[in-house]
Amino acid sequence: MFPGATDKRGAGDAAGQTADSADANFVVVGAPLDVSTTFQPGTRFGPRRIRSFAAPFDDYDYRTDQHFSDLGVVDRGDVHTWDDVSEYLEWLEGTLRDAVWDDAIPLVLGGEHTVSLAGVRAVEPEVFVCLDAHLDLYDAYDGNPLSHAAVTRRILEDVDSVEEAVILGARTGSELEWERADADDVTVVSPETVAAPSFALDDVVDLEARSTYLSVDIDAADPAYAPGTGTTEPFGLEAREMRDIVRAVAPHASGFDVVEVNDRDDGQAASLAGKLLREFVFSAGATAQTQ
Amino acid sequence: MFPGATDKRGAGDAAGQTADSADANFVVVGAPLDVSTTFQPGTRFGPRRIRSFAAPFDDYDYRTDQHFSDLGVVDRGDVHTWDDVSEYLEWLEGTLRDAVWDDAIPLVLGGEHTVSLAGVRAVEPEVFVCLDAHLDLYDAYDGNPLSHAAVTRRILEDVDSVEEAVILGARTGSELEWERADADDVTVVSPETVAAPSFALDDVVDLEARSTYLSVDIDAADPAYAPGTGTTEPFGLEAREMRDIVRAVAPHASGFDVVEVNDRDDGQAASLAGKLLREFVFSAGATAQTQ
Amino acid sequence: MFPGATDKRGAGDAAGQTADSADANFVVVGAPLDVSTTFQPGTRFGPRRIRSFAAPFDDYDYRTDQHFSDLGVVDRGDVHTWDDVSEYLEWLEGTLRDAVWDDAIPLVLGGEHTVSLAGVRAVEPEVFVCLDAHLDLYDAYDGNPLSHAAVTRRILEDVDSVEEAVILGARTGSELEWERADADDVTVVSPETVAAPSFALDDVVDLEARSTYLSVDIDAADPAYAPGTGTTEPFGLEAREMRDIVRAVAPHASGFDVVEVNDRDDGQAASLAGKLLREFVFSAGATAQTQ
Amino acid sequence: MFPGATDKRGAGDAAGQTADSADANFVVVGAPLDVSTTFQPGTRFGPRRIRSFAAPFDDYDYRTDQHFSDLGVVDRGDVHTWDDVSEYLEWLEGTLRDAVWDDAIPLVLGGEHTVSLAGVRAVEPEVFVCLDAHLDLYDAYDGNPLSHAAVTRRILEDVDSVEEAVILGARTGSELEWERADADDVTVVSPETVAAPSFALDDVVDLEARSTYLSVDIDAADPAYAPGTGTTEPFGLEAREMRDIVRAVAPHASGFDVVEVNDRDDGQAASLAGKLLREFVFSAGATAQTQ
Amino acid sequence: MFPGATDKRGAGDAAGQTADSADANFVVVGAPLDVSTTFQPGTRFGPRRIRSFAAPFDDYDYRTDQHFSDLGVVDRGDVHTWDDVSEYLEWLEGTLRDAVWDDAIPLVLGGEHTVSLAGVRAVEPEVFVCLDAHLDLYDAYDGNPLSHAAVTRRILEDVDSVEEAVILGARTGSELEWERADADDVTVVSPETVAAPSFALDDVVDLEARSTYLSVDIDAADPAYAPGTGTTEPFGLEAREMRDIVRAVAPHASGFDVVEVNDRDDGQAASLAGKLLREFVFSAGATAQTQ
Amino acid sequence: MFPGATDKRGAGDAAGQTADSADANFVVVGAPLDVSTTFQPGTRFGPRRIRSFAAPFDDYDYRTDQHFSDLGVVDRGDVHTWDDVSEYLEWLEGTLRDAVWDDAIPLVLGGEHTVSLAGVRAVEPEVFVCLDAHLDLYDAYDGNPLSHAAVTRRILEDVDSVEEAVILGARTGSELEWERADADDVTVVSPETVAAPSFALDDVVDLEARSTYLSVDIDAADPAYAPGTGTTEPFGLEAREMRDIVRAVAPHASGFDVVEVNDRDDGQAASLAGKLLREFVFSAGATAQTQ
Ligand SMILES: [Mn+2]
Ligand SMILES: [Mn+2]
Ligand SMILES: [Mn+2]
Ligand SMILES: [Mn+2]
Ligand SMILES: [Mn+2]
Ligand SMILES: [Mn+2]
Ligand SMILES: [Mn+2]
Ligand SMILES: [Mn+2]
Ligand SMILES: [Mn+2]
Ligand SMILES: [Mn+2]
Ligand SMILES: [Mn+2]
Ligand SMILES: [Mn+2]
């Protein structure tokens, strides 16, 4: 269980009353999909590892003056995977949609990036904001339209609600992906641009009054900050740069995931992923409280 | 390249004459399939790792008085994988069949156990001898008939030439697999039986005058001897016990693979795998010479 | 959750009826104590790691023709530790005693060996059978009577019900520990004796009609079989030798633990520990069924 | 032995004259305490690892034009730990006080942060300057007033000489810790403030004419720079930022420690720790020479 | 084979025409020398590891609008090492000179830094530009003039064509090395200077109209970015800073190497090394195209 | 320092009297040579690692009823290496000869096997008994007569006192090595022979009344028992088999080494090495006492 979260029955058990996910503000779901990774596998251990490396984090957040355990985060455990990715995504989408129908924000722990498709289908946002080293705009990769390398394309083209994608930290892609990225519905922001002191998210996308989904592919980070991911790509974002994006997007977002964490490092990727999830919750929670 | 092997063009280059795979006695092919592993992934790194940990082995074999580099072993590199396993197996089968047509014995470096299906299809043996902790007799696993856990079943039921399977070192399986194992075309030999001083392969299968394919799932070994595999299963074979089986089967075999090695240990699994491949070649080679 | 176990509420949830631990035959409890390890720490990760490496094991056991998931194993999760070991042991004992009062057999996942004291107090057996490289007969270690190195002494001297201790696989101890071991209430069986083909547990202890607790310190195994433990001691038992002891004791035992597993290897120790727990359950379960 | 240091007898042996620690300017002491770590243990290996990863550093320092081996650094080895932390700290304090009485500056290699309490008691400074991700201002953690998470509180409240604490790089704490941090005797400087080009230590504390102790909890660094520590906390300091603080404080300091390094990374934490110790010595040494 | 490169025969094989290295623009050669490393060995695995971690990089480069596989990169594999370093360097130089004579740019994958001597001898540049934490200006190290720690000295003094050396990112050296660095033919640029926004390579060296060789010792990077190297030295360059140097030098360079990568991290050093090689090729290739 | 040993000055310091190595019965010397390893390097970390993993061993030995710390073992630390192997061996020999002249038995911690040459030169035995997977009978390896792969040949042919070599556990070598092994002065005993219940050392060599040196190349063990070595070779000895050889030879031996341990496993190789050294000391010590 993510530290500070409760499981849906646990709360009721302890308090002598029925607490179910309808009371939750955020619902954590693990999605340990690990089939299309092209280089180093291990995302199946991502959810477990993120929960584990979140253990030492303090419950209290000084910046927003909130306790994580007060924010109504429920951890429903993992949706275990099987071989048929298409079916799996539908099942996962169902689980996440339950959360959405209960007015909670789903927080997906990947698993490979493909799981974002389930998250976006469940949330049906207008804007898909993504931190990623890669464009993920393949129409299909190795003939597979559900590859992690095609997820942003799938989201743009197969989810009706989505109007545009904003990809921050992207620094590589195939020629066809970059051509697709030239279209009006895609905005790519390089790591150098994100790192510039003058950068403001408002300059690249207007999130006011639009529903948004935020996806964090941990490989957006430089490998120094997140070596434990399938396809490391140097010259990436620093941890604080990613954090500032998460803080800026969270108040507008109704869905979140952090993906592509594996177990092939000494905890750097998982620790960063868990921390970014918490930053999302604190920022989204603070907004909710002040509304 | 497997140490002591040549690539098909390399020989010609050095000697000023045309050496191609038609001259080979053995053809090494890497098959880094890594899609259906149920626990720890990484078999995609198996072929590379086996070749690497074979580096320190002496070219000369005292027991059979042969040099590995004299035995006509050609390494054709890896057949890279893609998402469609069924197609991949066909392609791999084609590569291996080329070797068979040139009167060479294919030596497949896995990759997950599924690749044995391609090996057996190419070789078309009467007997399938297998070292494995598992029965691999699922009809389908998670709905997938091409899962590594179904490979011996596929081989028995889908390859016409195969009359029977002998599974040595097996110690676990589902209830349905054990029921399937009761049929006449399957012989299961427990690790304890293999380890008994009195054990002789002849007692469980007659390989004389029957074409045979030998498959070594490295998890037949106790995890002490091969921790780097997807689904470790304690109480397994010791390295010398596996070696003795390989030596006994090799003179009768026209195909070989060693599978399920990953990179999640300190080299034990890969070192054992490379050594068993060499024992196979030396034993098969010695037989060929004396014929 | 240990694979194949249920959590106490889970069963009821799924089946539409109330299943609680009163229905359980076995209760898994994690006890991640990690304070007195003298060399390599990390037993705090033992319970998690044992559960994880048990993932690939088949539910079905051929030898006893049973399914693990049919045997009524409930996993209550971990009893988290804090700094006061004495208090912690009392709390843990309370949790385990609940299981005993419900006629279930507690299965403790350590954690350092000290946790056996809580297990034995809860079960109150007449005989304490232990697999261990060490005697653990210190009166106190570094002034600490609750050190893992003193646990068998504590059990012998502080738990009234216990009449004798049998330590199998022991190969080292201080001079004072060996003197204590000379007393009538201790039987030490060397690894060589256990390994001898002629060895029978009956020769060293009569378990018929006496209540028994079985504790497996994973360092009883040779470091080849369990490198991931705090104080490795070469020349130990092989996995199959430990298994045979577990099978022999289980039918007589009303409590079980497996301890001293840490995360400093490639899974060998955890895999062996999980397997031994299952052997215990299958053997104890088979006995129960035939009674 | 820390590279470039001598042991107290070694010098005399080689030179034919009595060199003892009374001649030392700096005394290295390892304090491998590892009992209260809340997440990943292993600080017991910190001193060994820091000494080891200091091996490749050049003896000469270009910036200050000094050789480390000329600066009178004696390494007295480790003060081995035992179970009673309170007693251990007293013993360690005694060892460090010996150094202080000989007019040397103690350099403690942790071990968990708790050991700073011994250092501060021995040095009796007016100001405690600390690099840390955490406030360490718990009154007690899990009921333990000697937890690493309470060390700055202990130092502030139990060491009479200490007037104030300055915590640089802190980014997390419990609500009660932050409240304690509001008091006049605590100054907290966030990583962002430290990283700002305009930051000057003089703006937050006046060290002129006040005796000072500098403690470096390696987790002040971002996990990219020091993954090998017990409680990683993203969004931390970069290595150069920590170095500049050490350089600024060293000329005023009469005691130093670097703590919370463990062996769970590829050497990053230990390498940084050893380098910061050297920066301290070079900066303190240069000051001494010019006085 | 480096991903996107061809081997010289492979191209001809596929295309039905003779492609040999005379057609190559760049020739990759592995030089796994690993004899004089003073701290952590393993550079023998550098070439293999760099090629492996380059697997996930896209063929296409957006900045320069080029495909790596279009740029005529041939990978000739490794020049295997033996005990006589002097002889080995001559042999390696011969291999690289072949590339130079065919108007190709050699790209050497180290191996320890000593291999740069072979590269520079083959290329005979006027300027040696080097990214390195160390000066490598020893006349001899431990009596060995071919130590990695003496390579820049050897290049300056033993290769007639070389007029000057520029060492960027250097932060440590012996006193004698720093004295040698004071001479007119050496320019040292500290990491802080390289990192300054105002830094321009033109300010420290004029590469126009002068032939240049670029050597990247991966330890120029901070250990956060490249822990897998023999002698880690904190306070180093960030990955983007190294990249910008490579981009600036490449258009003027007729030889390149990246050295000192070992296998003792989670891929960070190798990933960065492979990426810098690609940046070199793209920048050099882009220049060539526009000429 | 090896646990239970003293350094030569330490004893005098504590006891107020002069204890020097003239009082020692055994002298431990680390020889971290690491230059000619052909596959995986790291023997430079062997001595440190062996000492470290010996930490958990009890001082007392039950079999011989002795305390290690009573047996007069002095640890003189490491003889640090440099590039000239020939010179290094002479220096090391000098250090070891000092011990021999003081009637102590040298105990060398390797380092690569080459260091045995220094040990044998210092001890000048008649018989060289060796546990090794390899013959080490190359006349020169890669042109290097001081390669680890030539050490037994060097000892046989260059040390006048040596009459014969007995190599136990050997299972591989070049054709020329096996031919050399056919000579009268070499006896090779296969792992299978050593493992046979009927095996007795007396059957292969008469050590009575002949001075002997015992060298343990840790790769004699199966890789399951010692993965952390340069050139793993499967089908080797089990730990208990090696122990029994050590016990049998020790009473006749005046010199001992354990070599080829590196840091590339989870401690198995180092733990076994330290334990075998202790078995040697206990067995040699027990003999001395009864004489
Ligand atoms: Mn992605
Ligand atoms: Mn990505
Ligand atoms: Mn299988
Ligand atoms: Mn299997
Ligand atoms: Mn124990
Ligand atoms: Mn034990
Ligand atoms: Mn702290
Ligand atoms: Mn801290
Ligand atoms: Mn260099
Ligand atoms: Mn360098
Ligand atoms: Mn040897
Ligand atoms: Mn050997």
Side-chain angles (χ1 to χ4, degrees), chain C residues 39-40 172-175 178 192 195 222 224 227 231-236 238 241 264-266, chain F residues 52-53 55-58 60 62 65 67 224-225 238-240 243 266 268 271-272 275-276 279:
Chain C
F39 182 44
Q40 298 215 90
T172 189
S174 70
E175 190 168 11
W178 283 106
E192 287 75 12
D222 191 275
T231 52
T232 47
E233 183 77 21
F235 314 142
E238 299 185 1
E241 295 161 1
R264 289 175 175 269
D265 67 6
D266 299 311
Chain F
S52 169
F53 277 87
F57 297 149
D58 277 296
Y60 180 71
Y62 179 68
D65 190 25
H67 288 86
Y225 290 86
E238 299 185 0
R240 289 188 213 157
R243 179 197 63 186
D266 299 312
Q268 297 101 313
S271 185
L272 178 56
K275 196 77 185 176
L276 291 174
E279 290 290 329

Side-chain angles (χ1 to χ4, degrees), chain A residues 191-205:
Chain A
E192 287 76 10
T193 305
V194 172
S198 61
F199 176 71
L201 188 64
D202 288 352
D203 297 346
V204 297
V205 62

Side-chain angles (χ1 to χ4, degrees), chain E residues 113 131-136 148 217-220 229 231 233 260:
Chain E
H113 208 160
L131 284 159
D132 202 331
H134 307 90
L135 296 176
D136 288 354
H148 67 100
D217 182 333
I218 205 70
D219 67 22
T229 192
T231 51
E233 183 77 22
E260 297 286 343

Side-chain angles (χ1 to χ4, degrees), chain D residues 29-247:
Chain D
V29 175
L33 191 69
D34 188 16
V35 298
S36 79
T37 319
T38 31
F39 182 44
Q40 299 215 89
T43 48
R44 67 192 66 185
F45 300 127
R48 174 198 307 170
R49 204 161 163 88
I50 296 169
R51 289 186 181 100
S52 170
F53 277 86
F57 297 150
D58 278 295
D59 189 44
Y60 180 71
D61 182 59
Y62 179 67
R63 185 178 63 94
T64 64
D65 189 25
Q66 297 172 115
H67 287 87
F68 189 81
S69 60
D70 288 345
L71 294 176
V73 184
V74 167
D75 188 338
R76 288 183 178 233
D78 289 355
V79 176
H80 292 289
T81 64
W82 64 95
D83 278 356
D84 188 315
V85 174
S86 179
E87 273 181 21
Y88 176 70
L89 291 177
E90 279 175 43
W91 185 265
L92 176 62
E93 178 190 341
T95 301
L96 300 175
R97 194 183 299 271
D98 286 350
V100 172
W101 282 347
D102 290 334
D103 289 324
I105 295 179
L107 309 169
V108 183
L109 306 175
E112 52 174 90
H113 209 160
T114 314
V115 302
S116 295
L117 182 55
V120 170
R121 281 182 187 153
V123 168
E124 299 186 288
E126 289 156 289
V127 187
F128 178 66
V129 179
C130 182
L131 284 159
D132 201 330
H134 308 90
L135 296 176
D136 288 354
L137 289 172
Y138 275 90
D139 195 22
Y141 188 87
D142 260 0
N144 178 7
L146 294 178
S147 164
H148 67 102
V151 67
T152 298
R153 180 81 167 258
R154 285 287 77 64
I155 284 168
L156 269 174
E157 303 189 353
D158 298 358
V159 185
D160 288 346
S161 67
V162 175
E163 297 165 359
E164 65 170 307
V166 181
I167 311 170
L168 301 130
R171 47 200 182 270
T172 189
S174 69
E175 189 167 11
L176 285 171
E177 284 180 283
W178 283 105
E179 284 175 13
R180 179 64 184 82
D182 273 346
D184 284 351
D185 57 354
V186 179
T187 306
V188 179
V189 187
S190 74
E192 287 75 12
T193 305
V194 172
S198 61
F199 175 71
L201 188 64
D202 288 351
D203 298 346
V204 297
V205 63
D206 178 12
L207 298 179
E208 294 301 324
R210 296 211 291 173
S211 70
T212 302
Y213 184 99
L214 175 59
S215 175
V216 177
D217 182 332
I218 205 69
D219 67 22
D222 191 275
Y225 291 86
T229 191
T231 51
T232 46
E233 182 77 22
F235 315 141
L237 295 173
E238 299 185 0
R240 289 188 214 159
E241 294 161 1
M242 295 178 77
R243 178 196 63 186
D244 291 347
I245 301 288
V246 170
R247 286 182 181 169

Side-chain angles (χ1 to χ4, degrees), chain C residues 89 114 117 120-121 136-141 144-147 149-160 162:
Chain C
L89 292 177
T114 314
L117 183 53
V120 171
R121 281 182 188 152
D136 289 355
L137 289 172
Y138 274 91
D139 195 23
Y141 189 86
N144 178 7
L146 294 178
S147 165
V151 67
T152 299
R153 180 81 166 259
R154 284 289 76 65
I155 285 168
L156 268 173
E157 303 188 354
D158 297 359
V159 184
D160 288 346
V162 175

Side-chain angles (χ1 to χ4, degrees), chain A residues 52-62 65 67 224-225 238-240 242-243 247 266-268 271-272 275-276 278-279, chain D residues 39-40 138 172-175 177-178 191-192 195 222-225 227 231-238 241 264-266 268:
Chain A
S52 170
F53 277 86
F57 298 149
D58 277 296
D59 189 44
Y60 180 70
D61 182 60
Y62 180 67
D65 190 26
H67 287 86
Y225 291 87
E238 298 184 1
R240 289 188 214 156
M242 295 177 78
R243 178 196 64 186
R247 286 183 180 168
D266 300 311
Q268 297 100 312
S271 184
L272 178 56
K275 196 76 184 175
L276 291 174
R278 282 168 47 101
E279 289 290 329
Chain D
F39 182 44
Q40 299 215 89
Y138 275 90
T172 189
S174 69
E175 189 167 11
E177 284 180 283
W178 283 105
E192 287 75 12
D222 191 275
Y225 291 86
T231 51
T232 46
E233 182 77 22
F235 315 141
L237 295 173
E238 299 185 0
E241 294 161 1
R264 290 174 174 270
D265 68 5
D266 300 310
Q268 298 100 311

